Amino acid sequence: MTKFSVFIAIVLTFWCFFSCKEILPKGLDDDQILDGTVEGLTEAELIQFERGDEAFREVFVKETGLGPSFVTASCISCHAGDGKGHPFTTLTRFGQPDELGNQFMHLGGPQLQNRSLPGYEPEIIPLGATFAKFTPPANTGLGYLEYVSDADILAMADPNDDDKDNISGEPNYGHIPDYLTKKPDAIPKNDKYILRFGKKAAAYNLLHQTANAYNQDMGITSSYESIDAFTLKEIEPEITVNKLNDVVFYLETLKAPIQRNTNDPIIQNGLMVFKEIGCEKCHKQTLKTGKAPIDVLSEKEFHPYTDLLLHDMGSGLDDGYTEASAKTYEWRTPPLWGLGLSSDSQGGAYYLMHDGRARSIEAAILLHGGEALFTKTKYESLSESEKAALITFLNSL
Amino acid sequence: MTKFSVFIAIVLTFWCFFSCKEILPKGLDDDQILDGTVEGLTEAELIQFERGDEAFREVFVKETGLGPSFVTASCISCHAGDGKGHPFTTLTRFGQPDELGNQFMHLGGPQLQNRSLPGYEPEIIPLGATFAKFTPPANTGLGYLEYVSDADILAMADPNDDDKDNISGEPNYGHIPDYLTKKPDAIPKNDKYILRFGKKAAAYNLLHQTANAYNQDMGITSSYESIDAFTLKEIEPEITVNKLNDVVFYLETLKAPIQRNTNDPIIQNGLMVFKEIGCEKCHKQTLKTGKAPIDVLSEKEFHPYTDLLLHDMGSGLDDGYTEASAKTYEWRTPPLWGLGLSSDSQGGAYYLMHDGRARSIEAAILLHGGEALFTKTKYESLSESEKAALITFLNSL
Amino acid sequence: MKYTLVIFLLGLCSFLNGQASSQSSATLLIDSSMLYLNSDAMYRRPFMGNNNLPVSIGGYMDANTSYGATNGSKTGIGFAMPDLTLFLSTRINKRASFLTEVAYASVTGKVQLRHAAIDARLHRLINVRTGLILNPIGAFNQNHDAPNYDFVDRPIAATTIIPAIFSNVGVGLFGKTGNSNWVLGYEAYLTNGFNDKIIDNTLGRTCLQEGVSSFENFSGKPMFTGKIALRNRYAGELGVSYLSGVYTEHDAPTTGKVAVLAVDYSGKFLRNRLLIKGEIAKVSVDIPTTYIQTYGNQQMGGFVDIIGTIAQTSIWGFDHARINIGVRLEYADYNQSKFEETQGIIFEHSRAVVPCISFRPNTKSVIKFNYKYQEQVDFLGNPPLKTGSFQLGFSSYF
Amino acid sequence: MKYTLVIFLLGLCSFLNGQASSQSSATLLIDSSMLYLNSDAMYRRPFMGNNNLPVSIGGYMDANTSYGATNGSKTGIGFAMPDLTLFLSTRINKRASFLTEVAYASVTGKVQLRHAAIDARLHRLINVRTGLILNPIGAFNQNHDAPNYDFVDRPIAATTIIPAIFSNVGVGLFGKTGNSNWVLGYEAYLTNGFNDKIIDNTLGRTCLQEGVSSFENFSGKPMFTGKIALRNRYAGELGVSYLSGVYTEHDAPTTGKVAVLAVDYSGKFLRNRLLIKGEIAKVSVDIPTTYIQTYGNQQMGGFVDIIGTIAQTSIWGFDHARINIGVRLEYADYNQSKFEETQGIIFEHSRAVVPCISFRPNTKSVIKFNYKYQEQVDFLGNPPLKTGSFQLGFSSYF
């Protein structure tokens, strides 16, 4: 029966076609993506991580409490692949140029809900307010950053520049809401606590950050942050504390980004340049966690390239907007880990610095002013190959 | 085919029939009904108004928290068409003749839940308590009354009758529960605030009134008023704060009643009589709102015919029952707007004065005593045509 | 639930083209030359036997659209399909038959059983009916098929005073006697009855429909429904029906009595060119005196349809097509009590007039054009809610 | 509910081979020597008449299993039965017929009505259809039966750009004209349409399917769906269809416009050994400017199936068994807008290639073996989600 042989031939042709492709597509290697858990979680912790991951992807609708005014409808839409965000979800905060606390809370501050459900008007910036735009940061490795001890942070601080290196980082101190548990190793000053998350380090910990984000980014109230962002009235919780805790746990246990090609001599050279010209004075290569309630995060060394401190970044980056004790020109050193993978979550492009204005890593370096001016100048005087090595190194993070 | 002509004939007959009626019935004109919104609400505000309207119509059942003891099962059953109520839903409050606060709270005071679910006993007035009956008031224009400033109210007060006109109105002062936000322009006295809603002006604002009404009229607890009226124990909220806020917003944005036939000379004459014989000393024609969080209610003039003050109404209206600083014989001047439409919500009849005992406008006038005795006497001495003009005027409100 | 359907549907599968041969279809898979195993059971159900008695299937569809206004607020145009039902009947043996009516509830997506009972004849006067029974209270409940009516909506009183469709699990007897000019029939059933949603409902008024509890009986007391009907060939049919039961709360001792008395009439005159049909019902419900008076203890309502055929002719190949005009007058008073406080009457009533024109190509189908004018008065008697609407409907048996 | 179905389904069972006698069954309880009473109504429905026209019942089943991986995360093997449907059709009279399709929704356990309409013919060019109608937008929606396709999954664009199965209650006209070489047909319906779940959904993108509101119309404005199709004996059929309506929130004044334009083609060549079939659709939805840009106001998608018969032979007693190979290419772009902030394009698209081999023992049944490679790109255009899977399916009419 010749037909049967035709059949066999066709099947073989098919097979050729298949073998040319990834028949069962593999994922990218772990060092090519930002998501994934820290190693060593227990099974119970993995279950909670999965729940948090699912909650992180939840798209809210009218019925589940979205808005009525909001920035976006899900966590994931700002942090695709757990990476940095896109100008589309860049948010705006408004306030005032002094450090006496936000004067516009009764007018819907600090955050602008620039979108709304049909039939509702989105918020607009009130007259007289200053504002800054914040691009969503990557989520990875946040658990490590959360458990760096206050003592370690203070050890890196040098508010009066006692060592005369022009770098005078200091922590952001602020009052924290009652629903937050103080860290056992907290070192408060005048009832104010060291804050560490966010562009201006205005969030105390990931619970603070998450409860705020649900409330201010999506208009989702919780029993922690129960004031509706639209009506400014206290309303029923729209998510449970359980779900909020799951998301916090998810953020805490997302793995730290993994550096690629660490043995490449160009990259090793780039790291040397990074240290030589002074980048590492703020973008500290290595930190360690203190005691953490999650075992695998306890007393671990890691490489975030940040000191979690505020630095004067110069007038070019001064938006006239303050949070807690951070001045208008002060920004928290952003961790550089995961930098090389940023464009995979920003639609193939770069949107760097706090508001995404830098369209490449080099552009970002060149925007450094204030305390970083000296280092930026040094960068400019590097040879092309040194510059290339530095950029290659940064891209490997 | 003659049958076809028969058919046509029939259709025409039908058409005649239709044309004799309102085929698609029109509603009554805006000045003939009490419901409807104040003008100029935003789309978002209209949405909230609609939600509040729906909640106002909700009939509670066992499953949704009704009772077990209650006065009625829905807001609307006391305020049909947003107008005054009927003796069927006239409620009873009990207490004592002094102003030291309700002594019967532990026995289910201040309000009598005179009905109950099958299997439960309704409440009875405890031994030794005095009581008064309160007919449900109309809801219209309440938002305007809510935002009259304390200063304006105090300006109308004359507790010691300094101007010697026999009229000595004073505000009701009382402590207010924690869940209420104080008005920014509040003028407290010894930690007590000016109350303004209700027959004896015992409610601070519409949220106070509404949370109380859910609790005491229907046995529906909220996180504001969480003590179950039957068991006197704190229980889970049976409605959400959201819904409560929607109903409050609904009440705030119900339009003010619109006067009819204002150009009719008889009515204009009636108004003159109204002022001449002194009615307007308490039933103030024109008030204005202060700053209000709802734009369209802010700094508006309106014509409620009340001063929101307590007045001695004489022994005939003394029920021996007090609320806050109101004495047994003191009653808050009820707004007269909407008076002419009262019978459209009271089943075609009139039930006027605080407990509905007056079956006509004239009967209500004649029940005035105390501070109003002088004016009542003047009324009695009017000519029939003057009396008729006054009544016609009142009916036009 | 899932399994139910899977099995059901698989069973039906074989149906598609197996009609020609009454030889049972799926049995080819059972080799009768061998002994049967337990696993063969599904293929050995009696319905697969060769000598199964015939089954009939049918149903009806009812779809409509309307446009109207209530006190000045206009409704737009929307389409609705309130009814899609399926009937099935089969003769079980020479003395018994099974009949069921199933409806698709379009809003919930659920299938709703309206009737499913086996009737067995012992004698012309003594037939036993058991299963889910359409209670014979009034006439509409047992004769509710949309294609039988020239009006788009069901009668107000026959759905909100008497429940409709009102069926309960139970058992009872029926029978009739007579001759070609007169017939007298009776029905008497004991069934499940009502729960306390009769008075614990969000309508704010007594409503039997809300408390129908077809498949469970919390009170432990059966409900009685009975009817006597007399028909004369010329004068039409007159029925008197009575319901007596209790309503009760789940897990509570509280029960109250419920009674309904209904009288119905239908007659055809002028060689079937004039139809007069109507019913009137009176409901009594025990309401605790401490409960809200808006839940009345007496209700009354009824309707009358007058339909005349104005043309009977041959149109589009339909030999006996009819054009009817008619009118329905209806009234429902949900609360016949008086206010304790004032001794004034409690209103809470509704009345409507519905002129209609309809086209019936044959007896199975009807296209209906109605105008409905309705006034609803609240319990205090305040100015009514007036609704006027044009309704276009289509109902057909299939 | 359980009882409902059990009883109903058991009842239907007996249907299996009961067609032989058109003599009706249950009427034994109706004594025709006497007058009928109202209570006889349930036994006097037309379907019990002796001359009832035949009813046809059928359906199809679709079951499959698959194994694959998405970006390295493997799915295990699972079995699914996405479709189990039942058809019922009956002729009401010489000008009208009723047809319904009911599907068992295996996930929810509900019975889902897909189509239930009465068609009445006034003229070859003027037929009226009323009831729950399959809206003729694209070709797949009206021709969705799994046994007609050689692919396990439904086309992406025909289910996520155009809704499927998409049916709404309404009324309309259809008709056709032509000769043995050419035919031109049209359809035009007014039906219920969409609610605001089109943009208020948990998918985070505009999706017509989410907003289908078949049985209720909140907007008060009917939706129009129309199609014109032209077929040539040799060149195949080309259809152009258009949908125009609004979507709305319940109890809110807000409405937005929805429009869909679709073009479909199918043709058979080489003596039916080559089949080409495809459709392309463009969706426009008004989105408030203050809403989230991930909910796009323009969508576009389509698919093309190319199937060739490589063997037509006699196997296992099937005389005309066929072996087909083919491929489906498909694409769906859920958001054709640009970001306001960057003027960069919004991606949010999906594309797939699906080679297949299938075995068709006869025209009613098919065994399908597919490989499906799909890439999904998020709205920012980040590296895609890649899925590859082997799918084995079986679909058959019954």
Side-chain angles (χ1 to χ4, degrees), chain B residues 14 18 23 25 27 62 116 344 347, chain C residues 72 196 200 249 290 355 371 380 382:
Chain B
F14 256 71
F18 289 159
I23 296 188
K62 217 164 41 194
S116 60
D344 282 354
Chain C
D196 69 337
D200 184 48
E249 187 185 0
T290 65
Y371 170 76
L380 295 171
N382 292 320

Side-chain angles (χ1 to χ4, degrees), chain B residues 150-218:
Chain B
D150 278 14
D152 280 7
I153 292 179
L154 287 171
M156 292 183 282
D158 180 19
N160 305 315
D161 194 16
D162 293 335
D163 61 0
K164 306 289 175 209
D165 66 349
N166 286 324
I167 307 294
S168 56
E170 57 183 333
N172 194 350
Y173 281 99
H175 293 293
I176 64 173
D178 289 340
Y179 63 80
L180 297 179
T181 312
K182 279 95 188 172
K183 291 175 210 280
D185 59 3
I187 304 175
K189 195 167 80 179
N190 304 329
D191 266 1
K192 292 184 174 180
Y193 287 79
I194 295 178
L195 312 178
R196 67 179 73 190
F197 288 110
K199 303 293 178 182
K200 281 180 123 57
Y204 182 66
N205 62 11
L206 293 171
L207 175 60
H208 191 195
Q209 173 62 37
T210 305
N212 255 322
Y214 270 104
N215 186 292
Q216 295 280 307
D217 296 357
M218 301 185 274

